[in-house]
Amino acid sequence: MADDSIAVVDLDRCQPDRCNYECKNYCPPNRTGKECITLRGEEPDQGQPEQVRISEEICLGETCGICVEKCPFDAIEIINLPQELEDDPVHRYGENAFSLYGLPAPQEGQVTGILGPNGIGKTTAVRILAGELEPNLGRYDESPGWEEVLDAYRGTELQDYIADVRDGDVTVSRKPQYVDQIPNQFDGNTRELLERTDERGALDSLVERLSIGPVMDQSIDDLSGGELQRVAIAATLARDTDFYFLDEVTPYLDIGQRVTAARLIRELAEEEGKSVLVVEHDLAILDLLCDTLHVAYGEPGAYGVITTPKSVRNGINEYLSGYLENENMRIRPSQIEFEEHAPRTATHRDTLVEYPDMTKSYGDGEFELAVEGGEIMEGEVLGIVGPNGIGKSTFAQLLTGDLEPTTGETDLDLDISYKPQYVTIDQHMRVDVFLSSITDQFGSSHWNTEIAQPLQLERIMEQNLSDLSGGERQRVAIAACLSDTADLYLLDEPSAHLDVEQRVQATSAIRRHAEMQDATVLVIDHDTYVIDLLADRLMVFDGEPAVEGRAGTPQPMREGMNDFLENLEITFRRDKRTSRPRINKPDSQLDREQKREGEYYYSV
């Protein structure tokens, strides 16, 4: 194989007990007597069939690809690496296993961001920076040791940091990606968890600014996703360490809470001089939060490349364009475009349904939602925005009939396909069996092109629903919602747990489904980019979270976003090059000007 190619065997997918070693038997070098694809040996004491290994020295590379085509379980990838990768990898996990090229460079007093898909090596990079994993420079069979690693980084921005890691002089505070796993690891209440972390004496301020006070004496098991996320952020920032790593700070948080979290992280870097590394998929928050940005690209599960640092604006714009200028690398076939003004007008559309004024009360003195009557148009995408705890999901359940209103009627006489906010698995079956039970279009060229491919379902079709990750579960739930035949498609937080690329592709699938099927779609989401790309009109919720909520009537995007952001005292501008929404720095000149003019959104 050429020096710029690698072979990857996914041992979780390789199932020799269910195949006839087609990869080995059809391999051209094997058929000429060479040992290109061989067997790894039986599982100890199991007597199970042997999985395969591929000799990268003998393999003909991606130009052949016969083993890739013949494997019935998509367990093999033969990949031509970018020609620009002249150096050895930072780390490779083993023969035919994942390789990481490049490391991010954390800086004291700065927030460094990483932007890229899941499965691309961000966690591996952080483990190396934290001193938990000794990089092997690609030599998985003989570890070179820290001294040789330090020599490899001599003269670079990482030299001093790697030396500190080698000497054990780096302490780390880390926020995990999946905060919903915290109750499985800690048994107690919020106060007990947080008081263990208060090493900087900043806990009281963090609790107040993140609005955690009301849940301090609640059991961790009883917290919602948004509450767990804020508790995890507080616990991470309360520690006194050299290096802070936060893996996804925005899931389950509304935009106001996201901005608050971003401000706290920036203050930690600027005022305390700490090194902070953040992985985030909300581009607007990433833009507000970071000083420099590394773009990560490659093939998830096969290899990942982390670029040298870029300015945040250029890094995000290059990512959106699909082309990295310094690396001369195309990472996506087409660019992601934003419209400068409100998307797609809703004129000349018939009314799908009118819903009346109604209320929903949850008992004496508890939360109450008041809904102003309105209409939903045929073929539109209606975005729904508002703070957490304000009644958005309650409104969705009123429409579906899962909840009865306290006053008013919701007999809409509609077939509604609903994806709830929290995706739970109560069926133990394979993904393909589950999806085929929903639609007779399963496997058709249209279904594959418009739903399966953009949602990246091909590689998980044979997995069980109960074995899926949070992001995989979300994509299957979106596919299930769109695959059903309905008058109205209602998706509650479809962007949760998806990386940026997956959000773009999911957004495209939802938008194309609305356009091609002339379908009506309601989308509840906190990601401004998702709403900006999707929505024709906007429905704004306001009030006092957990006390009372008010749902306004649907209105044009520009007016709706202005109303929504004015309540939060946040202003956006549009990037002059790409027209993407960008959050203005609080109290900046542009922020003050737009507030005076009442233009909180769509200012160019």
Side-chain angles (χ1 to χ4, degrees):
M1 184 185 289
D3 291 338
D4 58 352
S5 298
I6 59 172
V8 179
V9 179
D10 187 337
L11 297 181
D12 290 332
R13 300 180 65 85
C14 181
Q15 303 180 50
D17 57 332
R18 296 176 57 194
C19 76
N20 295 311
Y21 292 115
E22 288 88 347
C23 59
K24 176 175 178 288
N25 295 331
Y26 283 93
C27 172
N30 276 31
R31 299 182 77 166
T32 62
K34 298 179 181 179
E35 294 188 341
C36 179
I37 300 182
T38 56
L39 305 182
R40 291 175 180 259
E42 292 186 351
E43 295 290 328
D45 302 324
Q46 299 293 323
Q48 295 180 0
E50 304 164 85
Q51 294 179 306
V52 300
R53 62 161 55 91
I54 300 175
S55 169
E56 293 180 345
E57 290 73 23
I58 299 174
C59 178
L60 300 177
E62 195 173 350
T63 54
C64 170
I66 290 177
C67 58
V68 177
E69 294 297 325
K70 292 295 183 180
C71 176
F73 307 111
D74 294 325
I76 298 174
E77 290 186 85
I78 307 295
I79 299 168
N80 287 340
L81 295 174
Q83 295 181 356
E84 291 74 12
L85 292 182
E86 299 176 355
D87 298 330
D88 292 328
V90 175
H91 190 77
R92 191 169 192 184
Y93 279 97
E95 186 178 32
N96 302 146
F98 179 85
S99 301
L100 174 67
Y101 295 81
L103 285 174
Q107 300 289 330
E108 288 186 7
Q110 293 191 358
V111 180
T112 303
I114 303 180
L115 171 60
N118 291 327
I120 212 75
K122 298 186 293 291
T123 300
T124 297
V126 170
R127 291 187 62 205
I128 292 172
L129 294 177
E132 298 173 3
L133 178 66
E134 185 176 308
N136 59 27
L137 305 180
R139 306 204 302 268
Y140 52 84
D141 51 348
E142 50 170 345
S143 178
W146 278 111
E147 288 301 325
E148 192 169 338
V149 172
L150 182 59
D151 286 340
Y153 282 93
R154 203 170 299 280
T156 71
E157 290 181 297
L158 278 166
Q159 176 181 338
D160 292 341
Y161 190 92
I162 293 293
D164 288 340
V165 171
R166 176 201 60 185
D167 297 336
D169 292 337
V170 175
T171 56
V172 180
S173 180
R174 180 186 300 182
K175 190 202 80 68
Q177 179 180 15
Y178 294 112
V179 295
D180 49 3
Q181 299 299 314
I182 293 176
N184 298 331
Q185 302 165 6
F186 179 83
D187 186 19
N189 65 27
T190 304
R191 188 181 304 278
E192 293 169 342
L193 186 152
L194 290 178
E195 287 181 348
R196 295 183 181 184
T197 68
D198 189 19
E199 298 169 355
R200 296 195 300 118
L203 184 59
D204 290 344
S205 175
L206 290 168
V207 167
E208 179 182 356
R209 293 177 64 181
L210 290 168
S211 302
I212 302 172
V215 301
M216 285 294 283
D217 295 311
Q218 287 188 26
S219 170
I220 289 292
D221 290 333
D222 296 332
L223 300 188
S224 69
E227 291 163 346
L228 280 171
Q229 186 70 270
R230 284 175 282 150
V231 168
I233 293 169
T236 304
L237 301 186
R239 292 193 178 279
D240 187 10
T241 60
D242 303 307
F243 174 47
Y244 295 78
F245 171 63
L246 296 102
D247 197 346
E248 295 190 35
V249 297
T250 63
Y252 304 118
L253 301 186
D254 61 48
I255 187 170
Q257 295 166 339
R258 294 178 184 201
V259 170
T260 296
R263 290 172 179 168
L264 287 169
I265 295 166
R266 282 214 57 81
E267 289 170 10
L268 178 68
E270 293 174 348
E271 298 175 10
E272 303 291 333
K274 301 294 188 178
S275 299
V276 183
L277 182 65
V278 175
V279 173
E280 183 50 59
H281 301 306
D282 183 326
L283 296 182
I285 295 299
L286 195 68
D287 192 7
L288 177 69
L289 180 58
C290 297
D291 296 291
T292 59
L293 184 69
H294 297 263
V295 177
Y297 67 94
E299 292 286 338
Y303 80 97
V305 183
I306 297 178
T307 69
T308 54
K310 303 173 182 287
S311 73
V312 180
R313 180 175 181 269
N314 286 343
I316 293 178
N317 285 351
E318 288 181 18
Y319 176 84
L320 293 173
S321 73
Y323 176 72
L324 305 180
E325 295 178 0
N326 290 344
E327 292 75 16
N328 190 27
M329 171 60 56
R330 179 154 292 284
I331 59 173
R332 190 186 312 103
S334 60
Q335 65 180 1
I336 301 167
E337 297 180 329
F338 293 86
E339 299 185 39
E340 196 164 300
H341 300 289
R344 298 155 296 273
T345 60
T347 57
H348 308 299
R349 286 184 175 148
D350 294 330
T351 299
L352 173 70
V353 66
E354 292 185 21
Y355 57 89
D357 293 348
M358 52 185 166
T359 64
K360 176 62 181 177
S361 299
Y362 285 91
D364 187 23
E366 296 186 29
F367 179 78
E368 179 175 280
L369 171 66
V371 178
E372 182 181 348
E375 57 185 16
I376 301 170
M377 312 304 292
E378 289 185 353
E380 77 168 331
V381 178
L382 178 60
I384 298 178
V385 296
N388 279 332
I390 209 72
K392 301 185 302 297
S393 296
T394 296
F395 175 71
Q397 293 171 23
L398 288 172
L399 294 183
T400 62
D402 292 336
L403 289 176
E404 291 290 332
T406 305
T407 65
E409 298 290 338
T410 55
D411 186 11
L412 304 183
D413 193 26
L414 293 176
D415 289 327
I416 298 178
S417 182
Y418 176 46
K419 188 207 79 69
Q421 179 180 17
Y422 298 109
V423 179
T424 57
I425 297 297
D426 56 5
Q427 301 182 62
H428 298 283
M429 65 173 67
R430 288 190 353 176
V431 172
D432 52 358
V433 175
F434 170 66
L435 291 174
S436 64
S437 69
I438 295 173
T439 176
D440 56 10
Q441 292 292 310
F442 179 81
S444 68
S445 59
H446 170 81
W447 190 88
N448 285 333
T449 302
E450 302 301 330
I451 294 180
Q453 291 178 12
L455 292 174
Q456 302 175 350
L457 300 180
E458 295 89 341
R459 291 184 61 82
I460 61 173
M461 281 295 188
E462 294 190 348
Q463 293 187 36
N464 288 319
L465 291 170
S466 56
D467 295 332
L468 300 180
S469 69
E472 291 167 342
R473 192 177 301 177
Q474 185 72 268
R475 281 147 43 206
V476 170
I478 295 170
C481 179
L482 298 182
S483 297
D484 206 357
T485 301
D487 302 311
L488 177 66
Y489 296 85
L490 205 168
L491 297 101
D492 196 343
E493 293 201 41
S495 72
H497 296 307
L498 301 186
D499 63 40
V500 177
E501 191 73 22
Q502 291 165 348
R503 291 182 190 199
V504 170
Q505 293 177 331
T507 298
S508 174
I510 296 167
R511 183 75 234 177
R512 285 179 61 85
H513 185 77
E515 292 173 347
M516 298 188 67
Q517 303 298 318
D518 198 25
T520 303
V521 182
L522 269 63
V523 176
I524 302 170
D525 212 286
H526 294 301
D527 189 313
T528 307
Y529 280 50
V530 168
I531 292 295
D532 193 74
L533 285 167
L534 269 176
D536 299 312
R537 294 194 298 158
L538 206 61
M539 188 173 178
V540 179
F541 283 63
D542 62 11
E544 184 178 352
V547 178
E548 61 174 353
R550 296 181 298 273
T553 189
Q555 55 185 311
M557 273 287 290
R558 180 171 179 140
E559 289 84 343
M561 287 304 296
N562 270 325
D563 286 351
F564 174 52
L565 295 174
E566 184 176 10
N567 292 333
L568 297 170
E569 298 185 341
I570 297 169
T571 61
F572 276 76
R573 69 190 184 280
R574 284 190 176 272
D575 186 85
K576 293 180 179 179
R577 177 178 167 187
T578 64
S579 292
R580 66 181 172 88
R582 302 182 69 190
I583 299 177
N584 291 320
K585 295 289 192 294
D587 205 35
S588 65
Q589 180 179 345
L590 190 54
D591 179 59
R592 294 195 303 269
E593 287 177 0
Q594 288 184 218
K595 286 177 178 176
R596 282 197 303 268
E597 296 169 0
E599 290 289 348
Y600 287 76
Y601 203 56
Y602 291 161
S603 179
V604 180

